[in-house]
Amino acid sequence: MPDYAIAYEWLMFAVRWLHVITAIAWIGSSFYFIALDLGLRKTPSLPPLAHGEEWQVHGGGFYHIQKYLVAPDFLPEHLTWFKWESYWTWLSGFMLMALIYYVGADIYLIDRNVLDVPNWAAILVSMGSIVLGFVVYNRLCKSPLGESQNGLMLVLFVILTAMAWGYTQLFTGRAAMLHMGAFTASIMAANVAMIIIPNQKIVVADLKAGRVPDAKYGKIAKQRSLHNNYLTLPVIFFMLSSHYPLAFATQWNWIIASLIFLVGVVIRHYFNTRHARKGNPHWTWAVAVVLFLIIAWLSTAPKLPGSAGEEVASRAAEPFLAASHFAEASLTVQTRCAMCHTAEPVWPGIYEAPKNVILDNDIAVANHARDIAIQAGYSHAMPPGNATEMTTEERALLVEWFREGSGQ
């Protein structure tokens, strides 16, 4: 049987692949329907109750699309629902977060230099904040404030900024950024599951029963769909941020997170305005570039401690510290890897520790035992191109140390 580390790594890869596939499907359909909705035009030939139509060409054929705000006089037997893309994006994303940040809470979720809490407490805070996010957002949308699109968006921006700051006071910088993505994506998925689809089902049920559907359901669904459209680009940034320490490992990471929402909004405003044939607001790109330059400048602030937690060993690291092969394994890592994985790398062309992973001390090495075994033991991914000439025997030693510490 293969080592559990290999099986676990492939499990994470499979779930991540599923997450990317479903996210592409969801985002693609979301962008398409927003563009379609904004491009609809009224024509004299529209059938009764139709709101607008559009002709499109793609794949060698022509498409004639008509939209009904309430519903036509009849419905076909087959009605396509766009919901599973959203549901599976959220489910696969939550599975991935559980596999990485909950199972690996000692390393990836909790930074004991920031806040030393039990794993279970951090996980409960993580899940509770995600649920609370939609509850607060939903109440705001249903309150009188929900009638003001600009006012609602301003309040939401303040809430999102506050959440970004709060997450950085609880979790590692990497986890804080990821949670901003999970927090926002959960609002988006809940919009689909709890507002948009139920409202559409009410309309369909009324039509089948011979009742005239209330137009308010379509209006509410359209508002939530528009919110999802504007939130999509920031969510993608947060999902990618774990690969870029300049985004998550600086003291101003929470401000970076808040500015990313503004960047996403102005970019979507440009495309939405063009799709609605209301002009080309090129100023939005200038604003986006300026905001991004500010983000890049903020990233030059002093870095947070490495995600390994140089000062405090995680509870999961204790067996690896006690393993008989630890001294040799740590010496190997610090000899072959620490020239890059340190606060001030000395390897030419490397200016930041890759992914902010510090491996220049015993505690850091023990904290990252699993990653070290996968990257430099089971595989030859690290060092890149074997630049430091790690030997086969040294790689075998790292595997043996990991197996001993993990009780295999």
Side-chain angles (χ1 to χ4, degrees):
M1 292 294 290
D3 290 286
Y4 89 87
I6 296 176
Y8 198 78
E9 194 75 8
W10 277 110
L11 174 61
M12 288 194 293
F13 195 169
V15 175
R16 190 183 297 274
W17 192 18
L18 173 64
H19 186 53
V20 171
I21 291 171
T22 54
I24 290 172
W26 183 18
I27 294 170
S29 62
S30 173
F31 281 6
Y32 171 73
F33 279 108
I34 288 291
L36 173 63
D37 193 64
L38 292 171
L40 291 171
R41 290 293 176 265
K42 293 183 180 293
T43 64
S45 60
L46 280 176
L49 303 179
H51 172 69
E53 67 176 0
E54 184 166 58
W55 284 84
Q56 299 181 354
V57 58
H58 180 75
F62 296 88
Y63 297 82
H64 182 204
I65 303 163
Q66 297 176 338
K67 178 179 179 178
Y68 295 79
L69 286 180
V70 179
D73 293 329
F74 70 95
L75 287 177
E77 291 185 10
H78 178 71
L79 189 61
T80 301
W81 295 84
F82 290 87
K83 56 183 179 178
W84 296 111
E85 304 93 332
S86 162
Y87 298 169
W88 274 104
T89 298
W90 189 90
L91 288 171
S92 58
F94 183 79
M95 286 189 289
L96 193 59
M97 186 164 71
L99 288 170
I100 298 175
Y101 290 89
Y102 294 169
V103 175
D106 274 318
I107 300 295
Y108 299 113
L109 182 61
I110 302 170
D111 185 344
R112 304 197 186 284
N113 299 303
V114 175
L115 186 66
D116 190 357
V117 295
N119 290 3
W120 63 265
I123 293 170
L124 284 180
V125 170
S126 168
M127 292 190 291
S129 67
I130 291 172
V131 173
L132 180 63
F134 178 73
V135 172
V136 173
Y137 162 80
N138 194 43
R139 286 185 177 275
L140 287 173
C141 288
K142 292 182 177 181
S143 72
L145 181 64
E147 297 298 320
S148 171
Q149 193 72 281
N150 293 333
L152 177 61
M153 295 299 285
L154 179 61
V155 171
L156 289 177
F157 176 71
V158 173
I159 292 174
L160 290 168
T161 300
M163 288 303 303
W165 178 85
Y167 278 138
T168 62
Q169 306 307 302
L170 297 172
F171 304 137
T172 65
R174 175 177 172 175
M177 279 289 190
L178 189 282
H179 273 74
M180 284 306 299
F183 182 90
T184 309
S186 294
I187 289 175
M188 295 169 61
N191 273 340
V192 176
M194 303 180 69
I195 303 297
I196 297 173
I197 295 300
N199 282 10
Q200 289 176 340
K201 288 186 175 181
I202 290 173
V203 170
V204 171
D206 282 345
L207 187 64
K208 290 182 176 180
R211 299 186 295 268
V212 177
D214 193 327
K216 72 175 184 180
Y217 295 111
K219 179 182 177 182
I220 294 171
K222 183 178 179 179
Q223 180 194 47
R224 302 301 180 95
S225 181
L226 184 62
H227 290 174
N228 283 4
N229 177 257
Y230 277 106
L231 292 173
T232 299
L233 296 184
V235 168
I236 295 174
F237 176 91
F238 294 132
M239 294 310 171
L240 295 174
S241 67
S242 62
H243 299 283
Y244 297 92
L246 287 175
F248 70 76
T250 68
Q251 64 182 31
W252 301 121
N253 49 11
W254 64 276
I255 298 180
I256 290 175
S258 66
L259 292 180
I260 283 299
F261 283 103
L262 299 182
V263 174
V265 166
V266 296
I267 291 175
R268 285 312 306 164
H269 177 71
Y270 171 80
F271 286 105
N272 289 344
T273 302
R274 283 207 62 187
H275 293 151
R277 299 184 179 93
K278 294 182 178 179
N280 296 303
H282 297 297
W283 61 266
T284 56
W285 290 106
V287 172
V289 169
V290 170
L291 289 173
F292 206 80
L293 289 175
I294 293 173
I295 289 170
W297 174 71
L298 289 171
S299 73
T300 63
K303 302 295 179 289
L304 298 174
S307 58
E310 296 90 333
E311 300 176 7
V312 183
S314 68
R315 297 181 183 91
E318 294 174 1
F320 297 103
L321 283 167
S324 62
H325 292 85
F326 173 69
E328 294 176 274
S330 182
L331 178 61
T332 297
V333 172
Q334 293 185 53
T335 302
R336 304 297 189 184
C337 309
M339 58 282 297
C340 295
H341 289 280
T342 187
E344 296 182 2
V346 297
W347 192 269
I350 303 295
Y351 304 103
E352 303 285 344
K355 295 193 177 182
N356 201 39
V357 174
I358 305 298
L359 299 175
D360 59 8
N361 62 84
D362 286 347
I363 290 177
V365 171
N367 278 340
H368 277 281
R370 180 181 166 277
D371 290 334
I372 291 169
I374 289 293
Q375 298 287 341
Y378 291 104
S379 76
H380 291 192
M382 292 290 170
N386 202 20
T388 58
E389 299 181 350
M390 183 178 286
T391 67
T392 301
E393 291 74 20
E394 287 173 328
R395 295 185 189 278
L397 170 66
L398 295 178
V399 172
E400 186 61 28
W401 164 59
F402 174 74
R403 288 173 60 85
E404 180 186 358
S406 58
Q408 293 189 67

